[in-house]
């Protein structure tokens, strides 16, 4: 015992705080599939639930700011896919998941596979603008890869007939939905390349759900598009639908009809050229925004872990827990008192006049009213204390200080500058304001 120092001895509070930081910093974001159970939604607006499988379970919390974005009402027994960060509820020492997003398992799995393949192909350079072929300015023959009975084919043919009746068309019929569709689409692209009879290809179909369009998110189709020696326009679904084929193709059209307009000539062919340039600019700008969004998301997560709001969420969760425990205790106590009074009433009925029993019933009603009033008063007092704590936290929040016009200057490494001696000429400064940041160079 003599070899121990104060720094080697933990309090329970310090241990739980250290473990929470360890879990949050080391694990980061995790994706989890499980079945919902013990779902509850107190008046605070937060959600509490358990995710389980056949052998294990984990407690979860989803705070009001995140669960407002959920598009369905979670139910016990429902299978879901969640994006969450691992944490620890310090007052009880329970490890838990803080859920940031939730979606039904089926749609969630498809979306996750979509993002995984997108990242893989992007890393290999299949989306790079430098690898894309240039569309011919005046194509003489256009190939259409789509269903021979689908509305997309008739839309394309109508536009081509109206804008440029002399343009030759070759149709490569294929399935555009189902398990075999991906292989047929890849074979049609290969056939068009081997025959080499078209100047440009349109790969298209009408709109549908993510599952309906899934064959256009297939890796084989993506790599076949990338390997094509003939320029390919992806025209899958409506304007809001996005598939892997759109990223790999040499050009994306928002609809099949728009693809037909891109390859056909009319009096507005100069406008078509401008639209192509705009599409390329939008694609490059989209990639730029995606990269910067990832950086901002990382910084946001770092700020959230340091923000007083986190402490307020912990206190709010604790208040919800205490409120539910108080309610259960009062209900149990009320039930016990009711049973006791019922027993006494039964005894009184055997030995006392009926008017005395009526008096006892009236006394019971008064006690019930007092108990209910006491419960309401205690709950109101607890909410008021939480509100005061939130206001105090906001007053010391660094973000509140920024809103009043102040700013914080840091080096690029994140070190806060408190003196002019902390910087030298040529250093890069990052000045954080309420609505953004300013980067400057010390001269």
């Amino acid at each position: 015992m003599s070899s121990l120092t104060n720094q080697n001895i933990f309090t329970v509070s310090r241990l739980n705080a250290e473990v929470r930081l360890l879990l949050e910093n080391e694990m980061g974001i995790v994706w989890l599939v499980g079945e919902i159970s013990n779902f509850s939604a107190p008046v605070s607006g937060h959600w509490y639930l358990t995710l389980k499988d056949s052998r294990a379970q984990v407690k979860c919390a989803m705070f009001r700011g995140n669960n407002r974005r959920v598009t369905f009402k979670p139910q016990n027994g429902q299978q879901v896919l969640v994006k969450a960060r691992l944490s620890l509820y310090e007052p009880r020492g329970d490890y838990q998941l803080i859920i940031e997003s939730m979606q039904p398992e089926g749609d969630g799995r498809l979306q996750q596979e979509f993002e995984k393949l997108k990242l893989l192909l992007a890393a290999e350079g299949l989306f790079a603008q430098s690898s894309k072929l240039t569309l011919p300015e005046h194509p003489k023959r256009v190939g259409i890869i789509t269903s021979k009975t689908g509305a997309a084919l008739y839309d394309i043919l109508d536009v081509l007939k109206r804008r440029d009746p002399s343009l030759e068309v070759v149709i490569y019929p294929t399935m555009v939905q189902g398990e075999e569709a991906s292989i047929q689409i890849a074979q049609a692209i290969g056939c068009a390349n081997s025959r080499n009879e078209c100047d440009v290809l349109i790969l298209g179909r009408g709109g549908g759900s993510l599952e309906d369009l899934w064959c256009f998110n297939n890796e084989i189709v993506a790599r076949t598009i990338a390997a094509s020696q003939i320029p390919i326009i992806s025209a899958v679904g409506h304007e809001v639908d996005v598939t892997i084929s759109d990223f790999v193709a040499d050009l994306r059209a928002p609809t099949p009809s728009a693809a037909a307009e891109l390859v056909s000539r009319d009096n507005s062919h100069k406008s078509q050229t401008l639209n192509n340039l705009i599409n390329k600019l939008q694609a490059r700008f989209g990639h730029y925004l995606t990269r910067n969004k990832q950086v901002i998301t990382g910084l946001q997560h770092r700020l959230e872990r340091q923000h007083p709001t986190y402490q307020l969420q912990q206190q709010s969760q604790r208040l919800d827990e205490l409120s539910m425990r108080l309610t259960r205790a009062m209900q149990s106590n009320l039930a016990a008192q009711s049973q006791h009074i019922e027993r006494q009433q039964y005894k009184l009925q055997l030995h006392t006049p009926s008017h005395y029993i009526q008096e006892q019933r009236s006394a019971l009603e008064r006690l019930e009213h007092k108990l209910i009033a006491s419960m309401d008063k205690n709950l109101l007092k607890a909410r008021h204390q939480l509100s005061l704590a939130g206001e105090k936290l906001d007053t010391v929040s660094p973000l509140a200080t920024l809103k009043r016009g102040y700013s914080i200057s840091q080096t690029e490494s994140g070190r806060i500058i408190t003196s002019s001696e902390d910087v030298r000429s040529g250093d890069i400064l990052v000045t954080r304001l309420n609505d953004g940041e300013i980067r400057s160079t010390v001269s």
Side-chain angles (χ1 to χ4, degrees), residues 269-443:
H269 64 276
K270 292 183 179 180
S271 177
Q272 174 184 335
T273 303
L274 179 60
N275 287 335
N276 291 340
L277 293 175
I278 292 175
N279 288 333
K280 291 181 180 179
L281 180 61
Q282 288 176 338
R284 293 182 181 178
F285 189 64
H287 292 313
Y288 173 79
L289 287 178
T290 300
R291 289 196 302 270
N292 282 275
K293 184 178 181 181
Q294 292 173 349
V295 174
I296 293 173
T297 300
L299 293 175
Q300 183 179 8
H301 285 310
R302 288 175 55 190
L303 182 60
E304 285 176 352
R305 288 195 293 269
Q306 302 172 2
H307 196 274
T309 301
Y310 176 80
Q311 299 296 328
L312 184 59
Q313 289 175 347
Q314 288 275 316
Q315 295 298 324
S316 178
Q317 183 174 350
R318 176 64 174 167
L319 177 60
D320 287 335
E321 180 187 57
L322 293 175
S323 176
M324 288 186 286
R325 286 174 57 187
L326 177 61
T327 300
R328 288 193 297 268
M330 289 184 173
Q331 289 173 344
S332 176
N333 184 45
L334 180 59
Q337 293 294 328
S338 297
Q339 291 176 357
H340 174 73
I341 292 173
E342 287 176 359
R343 289 193 297 269
Q344 295 300 319
Q345 285 179 340
Y346 178 73
K347 293 179 180 179
L348 287 173
Q349 287 176 354
L350 298 177
H351 304 288
T352 63
S354 59
H355 73 273
Y356 184 74
I357 296 175
Q358 183 62 37
E359 290 178 356
Q360 294 300 314
R361 287 178 178 172
S362 299
L364 173 61
E365 291 178 357
R366 289 194 296 273
L367 288 175
E368 289 179 349
H369 287 309
K370 288 182 179 180
L371 182 57
I372 293 172
S374 178
M375 290 172 60
D376 292 339
K377 182 178 179 180
N378 288 338
L379 288 176
L380 180 61
K381 181 179 179 181
R383 291 194 182 99
H384 180 64
Q385 290 175 344
L386 175 61
S387 176
L388 292 178
E391 293 177 358
K392 290 181 180 179
L393 284 175
D394 284 338
T395 59
V396 298
S397 169
L399 295 181
T401 303
L402 294 180
K403 289 181 179 179
R404 292 196 298 269
Y406 293 91
S407 62
I408 299 175
S409 295
Q410 300 172 288
T411 63
E412 282 190 301
S413 62
R415 179 170 55 86
I416 296 177
I417 298 170
T418 59
S419 172
S420 59
E421 296 179 356
D422 292 342
V423 297
R424 290 178 292 183
S425 179
D427 284 353
I428 301 299
L429 301 185
V430 178
T431 301
R432 185 178 298 278
L433 303 172
N434 177 44
D435 57 351
E437 62 181 32
I438 301 173
R439 302 178 67 89
S440 58
T441 304
V442 177
S443 60

Side-chain angles (χ1 to χ4, degrees), residues 196-263:
N196 195 26
E197 58 191 349
C198 299
D199 303 313
V200 63
L201 298 175
I202 297 177
L203 174 63
R205 68 150 282 167
S209 65
L210 179 61
E211 186 176 358
D212 294 337
L213 305 178
W214 192 246
C215 59
F216 295 93
N217 294 318
N218 185 277
E219 184 174 358
I220 295 176
V221 173
R223 296 191 182 279
T224 305
I225 293 173
S228 174
Q229 299 300 310
I230 303 175
I232 296 179
I233 300 175
S234 176
V236 179
H238 302 301
E239 188 169 359
V240 295
D241 298 320
V242 179
T243 65
I244 296 294
S245 299
D246 296 332
F247 294 105
V248 183
D250 301 292
L251 187 64
R252 175 190 182 252
T255 62
S257 298
E261 292 182 358
L262 289 173
V263 300

Side-chain angles (χ1 to χ4, degrees), residues 11 98-99 109 123 163 170 189 229 240 251 276 335-336 351 394 405:
T11 63
I98 305 300
I99 299 175
R109 285 189 179 275
R163 290 170 57 88
V170 178
I189 296 173
Q229 299 300 310
V240 295
L251 187 64
N276 291 340
H351 304 288
D394 284 338

Side-chain angles (χ1 to χ4, degrees), residues 56-210:
Q57 63 182 15
V58 60
K59 292 183 178 179
C60 306
M62 190 172 193
F63 295 116
R64 180 173 53 191
N66 289 325
N67 63 39
R68 285 176 176 173
R69 297 191 294 269
V70 177
T71 58
F72 66 99
K73 179 64 175 178
Q75 302 289 336
N76 288 329
Q78 185 176 13
Q79 290 282 339
V80 293
L81 173 69
V82 301
K83 174 186 177 184
R85 54 185 172 85
L86 204 57
S87 185
L88 182 121
Y89 183 47
E90 295 180 24
R92 281 201 313 266
D94 291 342
Y95 105 88
Q96 63 180 0
L97 289 177
I98 305 300
I99 299 175
E100 296 186 356
S101 67
M102 177 188 297
Q103 50 192 320
E105 179 187 5
D107 293 345
R109 285 189 179 275
L110 291 181
Q111 188 64 35
Q112 195 172 22
E113 291 179 20
F114 175 89
E115 296 295 339
K116 182 178 179 181
L117 180 59
K118 180 181 175 183
L119 290 175
L120 172 66
L121 299 182
E124 294 182 14
L126 268 67
F127 300 166
Q129 198 66 32
S130 58
S131 64
K132 298 186 182 301
L133 302 176
T134 303
L135 268 64
E137 186 175 358
H138 301 296
K140 297 180 180 178
R141 184 177 291 135
V142 176
I144 304 174
I145 301 175
T146 189
S147 169
K148 62 182 179 181
T149 59
L153 176 61
Y154 296 100
D155 291 342
I156 294 172
L157 294 177
D158 286 343
V159 173
L160 295 180
K161 181 179 180 181
R162 172 173 51 82
R163 290 170 57 88
D164 192 354
S166 64
L167 185 62
E168 298 182 25
V169 176
V170 178
I171 300 174
Y172 301 91
T174 177
M175 295 176 62
V176 290
Q177 184 174 336
E179 296 182 359
E180 299 180 6
S182 300
I183 299 298
Q184 289 195 16
I185 292 172
Q187 290 174 343
I189 296 173
C191 176
N193 275 267
S194 63
R195 288 163 59 172
N196 195 26
E197 58 191 349
C198 299
D199 303 313
V200 63
L201 298 175
I202 297 177
L203 174 63
R205 68 150 282 167
S209 65
L210 179 61

